[in-house]
Amino acid sequence: MQGPSTRSARLLCASGALAIAAIPALLQAQAPAPGRAPSSTMASLARTVIETNPDIEAQRQQVRITKARLATAEAGYFPTVEATGTVQRREIDVKNGGRGDAKYTSANGAVEARLRFYDGNRTYNSVQIATAEMAAAEAGLDATISDTLLELLTAAADVHLQRKVLEYSQQQSDAIGEQLRATSRKLEFGEATRTDEELAKARFATAQAGVLAATEELNVNGYEFRTVSGQSATTLPALPALAPVPDSLASAQKIALENAPRLRAARLNAEAGKAGVQFAAGALFPQVDAVGGYEYLAGGVANLFTGKLPDDRSSLYGGLEVRVPIFVPRDHAEIGRARAVRDQRLSQTDIAARTVGEEVASYWTRWQSAKSTIVTATAAVAAIEQAAEGLKKEALGGNRTLTDVLDAQNELLTARVTLERANRNEFVARAGLLAAIGRLDANAILEGRCCTASAAALRPGASLLGRPAVAVGETIARADAAAALPAGAARPERSALGSAPAAASPAAGPAGGEASTSAASVGGRPSASALGRRSK
């Protein structure tokens, strides 16, 4: 029959296994986006994102707007030709019996050409403004592409990180679940205490919570990746190799001051502001236009004085037209506004330069720190793996406690997650540094895989304690098999740590394990403690 401890452990392990089994269903909620085949590499995905991302497309339309403004400004160099015409039926009635009463149809048509010779350089300055604004919009497009690609790489790195965290959390949960079941069985035989079992249950519940938290974070990161890429995270490509970064912080900052897209946009906007002042000041200068045209009049003049004409007539004319502003307060106010805009944009250029320098220094520092963390975390993982193996063997001999083994599992999980996070931070910081200096574009995302590798890749089939990872279905099967063992059955082949127990002493005989268990139960106090030591 099953003891209450065994049934409790079975139910706890089974519920945890069912919770883990629900994880694939949660991950399937991120279904691939219909209508487009997923990209197999991050380089091809980056090119697709540049073509289809709505933020980039909106900025691309902004560039089109500025190009249209430039065409409008350049049109000021060309002559204008206008045609006008009127047709009226008029009836003139001269009062008090005077002559001049008439009924007639008046028709008037004219064509006029105008070419501006001089306008205070307003046309020239308007072209300069439009050219600078178009270049600033193109720099803004480069900045949007860089930011979007950085978001893409960051989201992809986060998904890869959370997948590793989920994998390690599941492995730890499986290992602790086996320890819980083994501890419960030992409690049935009197070789463990209730405290040991409750401690194992607490650690197992904590491990299950870690699995669920990792799943939640993976789903959140998956949706973030889908938002920026338009592709499901279930078909996420491997992290790519990136273009090389500068070899020093000074060279990186120098490149950024010349090439950072937002700084270039700020400088170009400042140039447009300077030209804007000249444009506004041009309104105070005279304007000279050359004018020529042809006019035809039929029937009569459309006024009350001339009236009907006996014959149609036409006129061909040409000359110069001069406009001289004398007192125009609005133009003076516009000059003051243009100067304020210029000064504001110059200040924004200084702000952009400081921001770019800060971003470069920040990403450089994060990159260097991440590389150092990778070195130390790799050494920590290797050391704690060796320590975990040693604790497992020492616990079999009774020199270590169950708490020591569980603590080692937590430390190993923490070390591996720290290493994976450091790899993620190194990749993201390197991509951010490329973005800060203005070199993160489609050409910076190379074909192939990222050069960084986690320490877990050195032992892909190893769990947190060096055992092969246990599948979810196998976990449930083991729980059912353990629960089906009768109370008086022989001790299982594996101990709480998943290794074969030490051979019995010659005096114990073939049934030494069972006999010692019965002897230990006499008196109500187990002769073997929670450390798993065999009875003396």
Side-chain angles (χ1 to χ4, degrees), residues 87-120:
V87 177
Q88 295 180 352
R89 177 64 181 173
R90 303 182 69 87
E91 180 178 349
I92 297 179
D93 182 12
V94 181
K95 304 300 180 181
N96 299 325
R99 293 183 178 183
D101 293 352
K103 294 181 179 180
Y104 63 95
T105 300
S106 172
N108 181 24
V111 177
E112 182 180 271
R114 181 181 296 269
L115 178 62
R116 182 152 294 178
F117 281 165
Y118 181 74
D119 60 355

Coordinates of all heavy atoms in Angstrom, one line a residue, residues 87-120:
V87 N -16.6 85.7 -69.5 CA -17.7 86.0 -70.4 C -18.9 86.4 -69.7 O -19.3 85.7 -68.7 CB -18.0 84.7 -71.2 CG1 -19.2 84.9 -72.2 CG2 -16.8 84.2 -72.0
Q88 N -19.4 87.6 -70.0 CA -20.6 88.2 -69.3 C -21.6 88.7 -70.3 O -21.2 89.3 -71.3 CB -20.1 89.3 -68.4 CG -19.2 88.9 -67.2 CD -18.8 90.0 -66.3 OE1 -19.1 91.2 -66.7 NE2 -18.1 89.7 -65.2
R89 N -22.8 88.6 -69.9 CA -23.9 89.2 -70.6 C -24.3 90.5 -69.8 O -24.8 90.3 -68.7 CB -25.1 88.3 -70.8 CG -26.3 88.9 -71.5 CD -26.0 89.3 -72.9 NE -27.2 89.9 -73.5 CZ -27.2 90.5 -74.8 NH1 -26.0 90.5 -75.4 NH2 -28.2 91.0 -75.3
R90 N -24.1 91.6 -70.4 CA -24.3 92.9 -69.6 C -25.4 93.7 -70.3 O -25.6 93.8 -71.5 CB -23.0 93.7 -69.6 CG -21.9 92.9 -68.9 CD -20.7 93.7 -68.8 NE -20.8 94.8 -67.8 CZ -20.6 94.7 -66.6 NH1 -20.1 93.5 -66.1 NH2 -20.7 95.7 -65.7
E91 N -26.1 94.5 -69.5 CA -27.1 95.5 -69.9 C -26.9 96.8 -69.2 O -27.0 96.8 -67.9 CB -28.6 95.0 -69.6 CG -29.6 95.9 -70.1 CD -31.0 95.4 -69.8 OE1 -31.1 94.2 -69.5 OE2 -32.0 96.2 -70.0
I92 N -26.5 97.8 -69.9 CA -26.2 99.1 -69.3 C -27.4 100.0 -69.5 O -27.9 100.2 -70.6 CB -24.9 99.7 -69.9 CG1 -23.7 98.8 -69.6 CG2 -24.7 101.1 -69.4 CD1 -22.4 99.3 -70.2
D93 N -27.8 100.7 -68.4 CA -28.9 101.6 -68.4 C -28.5 102.9 -67.8 O -28.2 103.0 -66.6 CB -30.1 101.0 -67.6 CG -31.3 102.0 -67.6 OD1 -31.3 102.9 -68.4 OD2 -32.2 101.7 -66.7
V94 N -28.3 103.9 -68.7 CA -27.9 105.2 -68.3 C -29.1 106.0 -67.8 O -30.1 106.2 -68.5 CB -27.2 106.0 -69.4 CG1 -26.7 107.4 -68.9 CG2 -26.0 105.2 -69.9
K95 N -29.2 106.5 -66.6 CA -30.3 107.2 -66.0 C -30.5 108.6 -66.6 O -29.6 109.2 -67.2 CB -30.1 107.2 -64.5 CG -29.9 105.9 -63.8 CD -31.1 104.9 -64.1 CE -30.8 103.6 -63.4 NZ -31.9 102.6 -63.7
N96 N -31.7 109.0 -66.4 CA -32.1 110.4 -66.8 C -32.0 110.6 -68.3 O -31.7 111.7 -68.8 CB -31.3 111.5 -66.1 CG -31.5 111.4 -64.5 OD1 -32.6 111.1 -64.1 ND2 -30.4 111.7 -63.8
G97 N -32.3 109.6 -69.1 CA -32.3 109.7 -70.5 C -31.0 109.9 -71.2 O -31.0 110.3 -72.4
G98 N -29.9 109.7 -70.5 CA -28.6 109.9 -71.2 C -28.4 108.8 -72.2 O -29.0 107.7 -72.3
R99 N -27.4 109.1 -73.1 CA -27.0 108.1 -74.1 C -26.1 107.0 -73.4 O -25.5 107.3 -72.4 CB -26.2 108.8 -75.2 CG -27.1 109.7 -76.0 CD -26.3 110.3 -77.2 NE -27.1 111.2 -78.0 CZ -26.7 111.8 -79.1 NH1 -25.4 111.6 -79.5 NH2 -27.5 112.5 -79.8
G100 N -26.0 105.9 -74.1 CA -25.1 104.9 -73.7 C -25.8 103.6 -73.2 O -25.2 102.6 -72.9
D101 N -27.2 103.6 -73.3 CA -27.8 102.3 -73.0 C -27.4 101.3 -74.0 O -27.3 101.5 -75.2 CB -29.3 102.5 -73.1 CG -29.8 103.4 -71.9 OD1 -29.0 103.8 -71.1 OD2 -31.0 103.8 -71.9
A102 N -27.1 100.1 -73.5 CA -26.6 99.0 -74.4 C -26.8 97.7 -73.8 O -26.8 97.5 -72.6 CB -25.2 99.2 -74.8
K103 N -27.0 96.7 -74.7 CA -27.0 95.3 -74.3 C -26.0 94.6 -75.1 O -26.0 94.7 -76.4 CB -28.4 94.7 -74.5 CG -29.5 95.2 -73.6 CD -30.9 94.6 -73.9 CE -32.0 95.1 -73.0 NZ -33.3 94.5 -73.3
Y104 N -25.1 93.9 -74.5 CA -24.0 93.2 -75.2 C -23.4 92.1 -74.4 O -23.7 91.9 -73.2 CB -22.9 94.2 -75.5 CG -22.3 94.8 -74.3 CD1 -21.1 94.3 -73.8 CD2 -22.8 95.9 -73.7 CE1 -20.4 94.8 -72.7 CE2 -22.2 96.5 -72.6 CZ -21.0 95.9 -72.1 OH -20.4 96.5 -71.0
T105 N -22.6 91.3 -75.0 CA -21.9 90.2 -74.4 C -20.4 90.5 -74.4 O -19.8 90.8 -75.4 CB -22.1 88.9 -75.1 OG1 -23.5 88.5 -75.1 CG2 -21.3 87.7 -74.5
S106 N -19.9 90.6 -73.2 CA -18.5 90.9 -73.0 C -17.6 89.7 -72.8 O -18.0 88.8 -72.0 CB -18.3 91.9 -71.8 OG -16.9 92.1 -71.6
A107 N -16.6 89.5 -73.6 CA -15.6 88.4 -73.5 C -14.2 88.9 -73.4 O -13.8 89.8 -74.1 CB -15.8 87.5 -74.6
N108 N -13.5 88.4 -72.4 CA -12.1 88.8 -72.2 C -11.2 87.6 -71.9 O -11.6 86.8 -71.0 CB -12.1 89.8 -71.0 CG -10.7 90.4 -70.8 OD1 -9.9 90.4 -71.7 ND2 -10.4 90.8 -69.5
G109 N -10.1 87.5 -72.6 CA -9.2 86.4 -72.3 C -7.7 86.9 -72.3 O -7.4 87.9 -73.1
A110 N -6.9 86.4 -71.4 CA -5.5 86.8 -71.3 C -4.6 85.7 -70.9 O -5.0 84.8 -70.2 CB -5.4 88.0 -70.3
V111 N -3.4 85.8 -71.4 CA -2.3 84.8 -71.1 C -1.1 85.7 -70.6 O -0.7 86.6 -71.3 CB -1.9 83.9 -72.2 CG1 -0.8 83.0 -71.8 CG2 -3.1 83.1 -72.7
E112 N -0.6 85.3 -69.4 CA 0.5 86.1 -68.9 C 1.6 85.2 -68.4 O 1.4 84.2 -67.7 CB 0.0 87.0 -67.7 CG 1.1 87.8 -67.1 CD 0.6 88.7 -66.0 OE1 0.1 89.8 -66.2 OE2 0.7 88.2 -64.8
A113 N 2.8 85.5 -68.7 CA 4.0 84.8 -68.3 C 4.8 85.7 -67.3 O 5.0 86.9 -67.6 CB 4.9 84.4 -69.4
R114 N 5.4 85.1 -66.2 CA 6.1 85.9 -65.2 C 7.3 85.1 -64.8 O 7.3 83.9 -64.5 CB 5.2 86.1 -64.1 CG 5.8 87.0 -62.9 CD 4.8 87.1 -61.8 NE 3.6 87.8 -62.2 CZ 3.5 89.2 -62.2 NH1 4.4 89.9 -61.7 NH2 2.3 89.7 -62.6
L115 N 8.4 85.8 -64.8 CA 9.7 85.2 -64.4 C 10.3 86.2 -63.4 O 10.6 87.4 -63.6 CB 10.7 85.0 -65.5 CG 12.1 84.5 -65.2 CD1 12.0 83.1 -64.6 CD2 13.0 84.5 -66.4
R116 N 10.6 85.6 -62.2 CA 11.2 86.4 -61.1 C 12.7 86.5 -61.3 O 13.4 85.5 -61.3 CB 10.8 85.8 -59.7 CG 11.3 86.6 -58.6 CD 10.5 86.3 -57.4 NE 9.1 86.9 -57.6 CZ 8.1 86.8 -56.7 NH1 8.3 86.1 -55.6 NH2 7.0 87.3 -57.0
F117 N 13.2 87.7 -61.4 CA 14.6 88.0 -61.5 C 15.3 88.1 -60.2 O 16.4 87.6 -60.0 CB 14.8 89.3 -62.3 CG 14.7 89.1 -63.8 CD1 14.5 90.2 -64.6 CD2 14.6 87.9 -64.4 CE1 14.4 90.1 -66.0 CE2 14.5 87.7 -65.7 CZ 14.4 88.8 -66.5
Y118 N 14.6 88.7 -59.2 CA 15.3 88.9 -57.9 C 14.2 89.0 -56.9 O 13.1 89.6 -57.0 CB 16.1 90.2 -57.9 CG 16.7 90.5 -56.6 CD1 17.9 89.8 -56.2 CD2 16.2 91.5 -55.7 CE1 18.5 90.0 -55.0 CE2 16.9 91.7 -54.5 CZ 18.0 91.0 -54.1 OH 18.6 91.2 -52.9
D119 N 14.4 88.2 -55.8 CA 13.5 88.2 -54.7 C 14.2 88.2 -53.3 O 13.6 87.6 -52.3 CB 12.6 87.0 -54.8 CG 13.3 85.6 -54.7 OD1 14.6 85.7 -54.7 OD2 12.7 84.6 -54.7
G120 N 15.3 88.8 -53.2 CA 16.1 88.8 -52.0 C 16.6 87.4 -51.6 O 16.8 87.1 -50.4

